[in-house]
Amino acid sequence: MTLIDSAVSCGTSSGTGQIASIDTTIDLGRSMQRVAKWSVGDSETANALIHGDNLKALSLLAQAHPGSVKCAYLDPPYNNGESYQHYYDSMGHEEWLLAVTARIEQIRALLSDDGSVWISIDDSELHYLKVAADGIFGRVNFVGTVIWERRTTRENRKAFSRNHEYLLVYAKKIDVWAKQRNALPLTDDVKSRYKNPDDDPRGPWQSITANVQEGHATPQQYYGIIGENGKVHHPPKGRCWVYVEQRMLQEIAANNVWFGKDGNSVPRLKQFLAQRKTGLTPETLWRAEEVGTTSTAKKHLLDLFRETSLFDTPKPEQLIERVLAIASNPGDIVLDPYLGSGTTAAVAHKMNRIYWGIEKGEHIKTHCVLRLRQVITGERGGVSGPLGWKGGGGFAFFRV
Ligand SMILES: C[S@@+](CC[C@H](N)C(=O)[O-])C[C@H]1O[C@@H](n2cnc3c(N)ncnc32)[C@H](O)[C@@H]1O
């Protein structure tokens, strides 16, 4: 039996934070057959690998547990005509689109009001899928299209070297999601922009503009600011000062305004690193150096699957980590109905999310189970290092 209730955590030991509680009671064992032989670790775990066709599994889940999933990540076959070692990727266009949209409809029912869905796709089907997904979620709930740089080398055998693919992102309810989605942590690059040229005891700071567009300006926002060396500064044409004069004088007295090293420059406000409360707003361009490439992912799999065959189309753990960092919190349920080599489950496990991974191929046993066994015993690859992953937890295996 797999049980989640407000008192039960998923029992992992990563240092990534608190386990959020869930007030629904979810028992996958009511609708699916649990297979003890392939289940590993903690018997009270809420994590599930589900072997079988994802449409059937999704409709069972949607009937039994609507509104329970915080983040769904889908990496369907892209319909590119290839025949990979572990699955075929060749369907008629109409048939492919119908198959994927039938799954997305079930997923919409599974999402919580603050949930989102992220769909990996390439150029061939992106635009058709966007129109179909708009029909399911409503155009208003389209969050955006992320571009992922999947390779950094040039593919010279093709007319165009396709170095990127996409993630189509939808919210169940955009207003709710936009308020709740997580910001990304400050990068070293961003932190390095904070300096301390005046040895301010409050620590490193960066200067930001002190003037704004005059759209809703009041007359009190137009005045001259006398700089340290007596020079008078007026706002540039079409702009006004961000504060009225009295407030600006207070900020100058509190050493919160910077007139440059020589005291003659246009005044700017000091923004301190220590006081910065918000992280970074996610951007739509995801570079290989930040989230890895297909080849990064394959190198990782070479370490994981030494005694079995390599999986052809894995995603790098860093890419999935970014999705889950934005769209979920510890203890939330993450769903991947096209599990492949188990990347989403492995990353969700390391990030203390609860996961439901569905895969129809036999590689759910030969690859996903093998991979997660290693994760449970403290596997060191992928995102383990940055997350401080040390091992623990478990998963239950189901058949539909
Ligand atoms: C592109 S791969 C996913 C790769 C995965 N993201 C990873 O990092 O390894 C797509 C997977 O979906 C599986 N799949 C395709 N159709 C399916 C279906 N109807 N039900 C369940 N799994 C399916 C395939 O067997 C394949 O393993």
Side-chain angles (χ1 to χ4, degrees), residues 85-149:
Q85 190 176 357
H86 295 97
Y87 66 98
Y88 293 108
D89 196 359
S90 185
M91 271 184 173
H93 162 71
E94 293 298 327
E95 191 192 353
W96 179 88
L97 197 58
L98 281 174
V100 176
T101 50
R103 274 116 185 128
I104 298 175
E105 273 164 11
Q106 298 297 330
I107 287 167
R108 187 179 179 281
L110 273 163
L111 286 181
S112 55
D113 282 353
D114 56 356
S116 59
V117 60
W118 301 64
I119 313 171
S120 277
I121 197 69
D122 72 5
D123 255 352
S124 320
E125 296 285 7
L126 167 72
H127 307 87
Y128 302 96
L129 186 60
K130 163 78 167 62
V131 174
D134 277 349
I136 297 167
F137 287 97
R139 288 179 72 172
V140 68
N141 291 311
F142 174 59
V143 178
T145 312
V146 171
I147 292 174
W148 167 48
E149 188 184 16

Side-chain angles (χ1 to χ4, degrees), residues 205-236:
W205 53 270
Q206 68 172 358
S207 74
I208 57 172
T209 181
N211 58 66
V212 290
Q213 279 190 343
E214 63 186 357
H216 299 288
T218 61
Q220 289 75 29
Q221 284 171 270
Y222 299 90
Y223 51 89
I225 299 177
I226 305 171
E228 289 166 6
N229 295 346
K231 186 171 172 185
V232 181
H233 301 272
H234 289 279

Side-chain angles (χ1 to χ4, degrees), residues 70-346:
K70 183 69 171 286
C71 172
Y73 170 72
L74 281 67
D75 185 11
Y78 291 174
N79 204 23
N80 55 19
E82 297 279 348
S83 169
Y84 297 113
Q85 190 176 357
H86 295 97
Y87 66 98
Y88 293 108
D89 196 359
S90 185
M91 271 184 173
H93 162 71
E94 293 298 327
E95 191 192 353
W96 179 88
L97 197 58
L98 281 174
V100 176
T101 50
R103 274 116 185 128
I104 298 175
E105 273 164 11
Q106 298 297 330
I107 287 167
R108 187 179 179 281
L110 273 163
L111 286 181
S112 55
D113 282 353
D114 56 356
S116 59
V117 60
W118 301 64
I119 313 171
S120 277
I121 197 69
D122 72 5
D123 255 352
S124 320
E125 296 285 7
L126 167 72
H127 307 87
Y128 302 96
L129 186 60
K130 163 78 167 62
V131 174
D134 277 349
I136 297 167
F137 287 97
R139 288 179 72 172
V140 68
N141 291 311
F142 174 59
V143 178
T145 312
V146 171
I147 292 174
W148 167 48
E149 188 184 16
R150 72 171 172 202
R151 63 181 294 156
T152 52
T153 52
R154 201 178 299 268
E155 166 58 289
N156 287 316
R157 290 169 299 180
K158 301 274 166 68
F160 267 154
S161 176
R162 289 185 176 185
N163 286 32
H164 68 275
E165 56 184 61
Y166 306 93
L167 285 142
L168 261 184
V169 188
Y170 286 86
K172 173 87 167 264
K173 295 188 175 172
I174 189 83
D175 298 348
V176 183
W177 191 80
K179 284 193 204 111
Q180 301 221 346
R181 71 104 181 93
N182 295 320
L184 293 168
L186 298 186
T187 59
D188 289 344
D189 182 39
V190 170
K191 283 187 199 153
S192 72
R193 288 180 215 152
Y194 290 77
K195 306 224 160 28
N196 199 348
D198 60 347
D199 286 331
D200 193 309
R202 292 166 291 182
W205 53 270
Q206 68 172 358
S207 74
I208 57 172
T209 181
N211 58 66
V212 290
Q213 279 190 343
E214 63 186 357
H216 299 288
T218 61
Q220 289 75 29
Q221 284 171 270
Y222 299 90
Y223 51 89
I225 299 177
I226 305 171
E228 289 166 6
N229 295 346
K231 186 171 172 185
V232 181
H233 301 272
H234 289 279
K237 199 161 179 255
R239 298 179 72 85
C240 63
W241 296 121
V242 64
Y243 301 132
V244 298
E245 187 169 14
Q246 195 192 359
R247 167 83 189 271
M248 186 64 86
L249 290 172
Q250 285 167 357
E251 297 294 332
I252 293 170
N255 189 23
N256 289 337
V257 181
W258 175 242
F259 290 91
K261 277 197 174 138
D262 60 0
N264 276 329
S265 303
V266 173
R268 289 173 67 80
L269 305 179
K270 289 163 82 174
Q271 183 192 58
F272 292 91
L273 181 58
Q275 285 166 0
R276 187 165 172 161
K277 290 194 183 71
T278 52
L280 301 174
T281 301
E283 293 177 325
T284 48
L285 186 58
W286 292 12
R287 295 276 186 194
E289 66 202 34
E290 295 162 11
V291 294
T293 59
T294 307
S295 122
T296 320
K298 283 190 173 172
K299 277 189 197 128
H300 184 196
L301 293 197
L302 274 175
D303 281 340
L304 290 170
F305 302 139
R306 280 184 200 157
E307 281 138 46
T308 183
S309 54
L310 200 62
F311 188 80
D312 288 316
T313 56
K315 292 292 184 282
E317 288 200 357
Q318 292 81 350
L319 178 79
I320 305 302
E321 197 245 345
R322 180 168 290 185
V323 171
L324 301 192
I326 295 169
S328 68
N329 294 303
D332 286 338
I333 299 179
V334 168
L335 168 72
D336 182 343
Y338 297 94
L339 195 58
S341 64
T343 312
T344 306

